[in-house]
Amino acid sequence: MTLISGDGVGPEVIGAAVEVIAATGVKIDWDRQAAGANAFRRFGNPVPEDLLQSMLRTRVALKGPLETRVAEGFRSINVLLRKTFDLYANLRPTISFPGIPAPFRNVNLTVVRENTEDLYAGIEHEVAPGVVESIKIITAKASTRIAKFAFDYARRTGRKSLTAIHKANIMKLSDGLFLKCARAVAKQYPEIKYTEQIVDAACMRLVTAPASFDVLLLENLYGDIVSDLCAGLVGGLGLVPGANYGDKGAIFEAVHGTANDIAGKNVANPVAAILSGSMLLDYLGHKREGDRVRAAVTSVLRAGRTLTRDLGGKASTSEMAAAIVRTIGRN
Ligand code: NAD
């Protein structure tokens, strides 16, 4: 598998995830590759050819966050990787953990985000000095396949309902097309209750009654924003894993970014990266080992003795990872 440690806290949390995966007994031959700001500093290229070749070979990666400068610099390497390997579905399961201080206790929802188009197409022009245009692309093909992915996920995992989130009252053509495709796909899954909500109202409902949501289906930009909001419901970005799936490969990565304010201090919460690792184990057919990782994480969080400071504790990244490794060993 390709291993991209990434920028900022990436090497710390990915190192923890690799240790935890090793503790399950699953042997993975990691092909370590640089990407992002650290690759740019070392090789003058944020997406070195070796990385692309590695991904073409393995088709699967565990990845740390990559830095993307605001309003300057090279385009997002995350977006580039997802588009190059057509990893069209971003899955972000967001679950409350026992013992963790969070605004809510009974959240169990999954964000399914379209990963290849929308305003993330990055098509921007300066039409005239002082006037810029950013183009939102929505296609029937991408909307239908992400809706199918979300409903298949809901069916496979025994989920009861799916909510498509949109702004089709304003973007009648683009978000309208997204909804039209979702409605057509919904008809093939009669056992799953299908509803729709406008994104602003959905945000209000998420922060007041998150337990009323099950699977959320969103375009790229709304999906990105809403998944960070959902992380806040359960105790923060340090807890929420993610995966980008395509028909021929996948990249597993936490929802959080490089967290530069805490990078290099051994204080970042490794749980999101570790749980992304458990999703990688599932994908590779090691569901039992994936379950062992999730059980160990839950048990360490519930015990509350070895928590990083974002969760109100004093443990370091490596202490928390070691506690999870020990728990896997005991079970
Ligand atoms: P961020 O997620 O890096 O940080 C937001 C806040 O959450 C910070 O206060 C940070 O300390 C905290 N946080 C994040 N992860 C944490 C963890 N594991 N443990 C404890 N606290 C944690 O978001 P940002 O500051 O908006 O973005 C920083 C950089 O990351 C930007 O360059 C952005 O483009 C990039 N980014 C990359 C990815 C990715 O590679 N998939 C995702 C999001 C952001």
Side-chain angles (χ1 to χ4, degrees), residues 9 13 63-70 76 78 82 92 224 228 236-239 244 253-263 267-273 308-310:
V9 297
V13 296
K63 178 187 154 300
L66 301 176
E67 187 179 319
T68 309
R69 293 261 155 105
V70 174
S76 165
N78 297 311
R82 290 167 195 160
R92 295 174 157 180
D224 191 27
D228 273 36
L237 283 164
L239 293 171
N244 306 284
E253 60 178 339
V255 171
H256 69 74
T258 54
N260 293 329
D261 49 338
I262 55 169
V267 297
N269 185 342
V271 164
T308 44
R309 64 187 197 191
D310 57 309

Side-chain angles (χ1 to χ4, degrees), residues 176-193:
L177 176 59
F178 185 80
L179 280 188
K180 202 167 135 193
C181 298
R183 284 173 196 162
V185 172
K187 292 203 174 81
Q188 298 158 35
Y189 299 81
E191 77 279 21
I192 295 159
K193 185 175 172 221

Side-chain angles (χ1 to χ4, degrees), residues 139-161:
T139 65
K141 184 175 167 222
S143 303
T144 301
R145 75 176 174 172
I146 193 66
K148 259 191 88 30
F149 179 95
F151 276 101
D152 279 342
Y153 168 82
R155 180 173 275 172
R156 205 172 55 247
T157 54
R159 297 281 185 160
K160 301 275 178 284
S161 70

Side-chain angles (χ1 to χ4, degrees), residues 1-3 29-31 33 51-62 85 248-250 283-284:
M1 304 294 109
T2 303
L3 186 71
D29 187 5
W30 297 108
D31 182 15
Q33 295 291 337
L51 162 69
L52 296 176
Q53 289 304 324
S54 173
M55 278 298 300
L56 280 173
R57 254 188 339 267
T58 66
R59 293 272 169 193
V60 182
L62 178 63
F85 298 100
K248 293 197 199 118
Y283 183 78
L284 297 178

Side-chain angles (χ1 to χ4, degrees), residues 75-76 79 82-83 113-125 132-139 167 171 174-175 178 199 218-225:
R75 280 181 58 188
S76 165
V79 174
R82 290 167 195 160
K83 284 173 87 167
R113 163 191 176 198
E114 204 290 322
N115 235 356
T116 62
E117 53 183 31
D118 189 5
L119 283 161
Y120 273 63
I123 306 171
E124 295 189 312
H125 317 278
V132 293
E133 179 179 61
S134 184
I135 296 181
K136 170 163 173 158
I137 306 274
I138 297 292
T139 65
K167 191 77 187 173
M171 279 160 278
S174 53
D175 287 17
F178 185 80
V199 63
L218 306 100
E219 292 168 6
N220 206 338
L221 180 62
Y222 306 145
D224 191 27
I225 297 167

